[in-house]
Amino acid sequence: MNRLTGKVALVTGAARGIGAAIARAFVAEGARVLLTDIDNARGAQTAQALGERAAYRRLDVREPSDWDAAMAALLNDWQRLDVLVNNAGITGFEGGAAAHDPEHATLEDWRAVHRTNLDGVFLGCRAAIRAMRAQGSGSIINLSSRSGQVGVAGAAAYASSKAAVRNHSKTVALYCAEQGLAIRCNSIHPGAILTPMWDALLGDGPEREARMRDFVWDTPLRRFGRPEEVAAVAVLLASDEAAYMTGSELTVDGGLLAGSPASPRG
C-alpha cells in the first residue's frame, strides 16, 4: 500500500467522519498527514491512533491566520505540501437549527454556512497554491456534495455553498494550469454517506432504523455509503495515477443523481 509514499497531506475537518476516513486511508497508503479540526480532543485522538506519520493541529478554516500558522508549521516540520483536502463543512442544522429555505433563512445563518463551507475552501486553496508553488506540483481536493449539483428546498445555504465549491474547484484548476503549475484541483461530491452529520436528521431513538430504511429505499443501491468509500476516491485524486485529472468532479452517491430505481416499493 504505497500509492502516496513520500507525500505530505493536510486534511481539514479530520476529527471524524469523511475527514478521518481520508486521513486514515492516506496514512495507510504511505503519506504523512496533518489532521486539522476545531474539535481538539477528538482530532488529537484520531491522529494518535494513526501512528507516527500523523499529527494533529487546530485549524479553524474560517480564519486566515489559522491557515497561515498551519502552513508555516507544516512546511517547517515536513518541508512540503503535496495534497490538501478541504473537507471541513457544516450543514447549518447543527444544534437543531431550523431548515434554511429560500423564504425564511436568516442572513446570519446563510453567512455562517458559507463562511465555513465556501470561505474555508477559498482560504485553503489559496494557502495550498502558495505552499505548493515551490515544487510546482500538488493535488487540491475539495469536498463538495451531491447537494452542490441539485437544489435542496430546505437547505438553501448548504446547497449554495457546495455548488460554489464545485465551481471554485474548476477556477483553481484553470488558474494553476494558466500559471504553468502542475497543481491539480478536483472536487468530490458525496451523497447519502452515513456520517455524524446525519444524526440530526435520523435521530438516535427507536425510529432511527425506520428512517434509514425509508431514505435508502430511494437510492439505487439501497444503502448508505461509507466514509471509506469516499476516502478511496480521495486517494486516487491525491495519487500520481490521477496526474491528468484536474477541474473534474467525481460523484459518490450510490446512483442518486442517476435517477430513481425502476423496481416499485413493495
Side-chain angles (χ1 to χ4, degrees):
M1 306 291 284
N2 58 2
R3 296 162 75 192
L4 303 181
T5 296
K7 295 189 184 295
V8 172
L10 186 155
V11 182
T12 70
R16 62 180 187 169
I18 290 173
I22 290 173
R24 192 176 303 115
F26 280 11
V27 168
E29 291 288 351
R32 288 179 289 176
V33 182
L34 179 62
L35 290 77
T36 69
D37 208 293
I38 57 174
D39 185 342
N40 291 334
R42 187 178 278 121
Q45 183 179 29
T46 302
Q48 185 176 19
L50 296 181
E52 62 182 11
R53 281 188 283 109
Y56 172 76
R57 182 183 180 90
R58 178 182 171 83
L59 168 58
D60 185 335
V61 298
R62 302 167 295 184
E63 299 297 335
S65 59
D66 275 24
W67 278 106
D68 292 343
M71 284 298 176
L74 183 147
L75 294 174
N76 181 68
D77 293 344
W78 291 341
Q79 287 73 58
R80 61 187 291 124
L81 174 69
D82 298 288
V83 185
L84 169 68
V85 181
N86 281 312
N87 167 73
I90 62 173
T91 62
F93 304 140
E94 292 80 7
H100 296 164
D101 66 70
E103 182 180 5
H104 300 101
T106 67
L107 184 59
E108 181 182 14
D109 287 344
W110 173 272
R111 286 175 171 167
V113 171
H114 281 78
R115 190 175 174 216
T116 294
N117 293 4
L118 181 56
D119 294 358
V121 168
F122 158 70
L123 292 171
C125 289
R126 186 178 71 174
I129 294 169
R130 292 172 177 176
M132 293 172 176
R133 186 178 280 276
Q135 74 252 18
S137 63
S139 174
I140 299 172
I141 303 167
N142 294 329
L143 270 291
S144 178
S145 170
R146 166 189 172 270
S147 300
Q149 296 171 291
V150 297
V152 184
Y158 181 76
S160 171
S161 69
K162 291 300 187 178
V165 168
R166 175 193 188 196
N167 192 268
H168 189 61
S169 301
K170 298 177 188 300
T171 296
V172 171
L174 293 174
Y175 172 79
C176 291
E178 222 175 51
Q179 293 284 303
L181 301 169
I183 299 174
R184 302 177 291 106
C185 185
N186 298 284
S187 57
I188 302 178
H189 298 254
I193 307 299
L194 194 56
T195 69
M197 268 192 175
W198 279 86
D199 288 344
L201 298 174
L202 296 173
D204 57 4
E207 296 180 355
R208 180 182 173 93
E209 290 298 322
R211 292 192 188 102
M212 289 178 65
R213 286 194 299 271
D214 285 345
F215 181 84
V216 300
W217 184 266
D218 293 325
T219 67
L221 294 186
R222 299 283 200 269
R223 68 173 177 86
F224 278 97
R226 300 186 302 274
E228 292 75 17
E229 292 172 311
V230 180
V233 177
V235 168
L236 168 65
L237 291 176
S239 76
D240 294 337
E241 298 163 26
Y244 200 57
M245 291 181 67
T246 193
S248 299
E249 53 195 62
L250 281 72
T251 302
V252 186
D253 72 347
L256 273 170
L257 284 178
S260 300
S263 56
R265 189 184 287 261

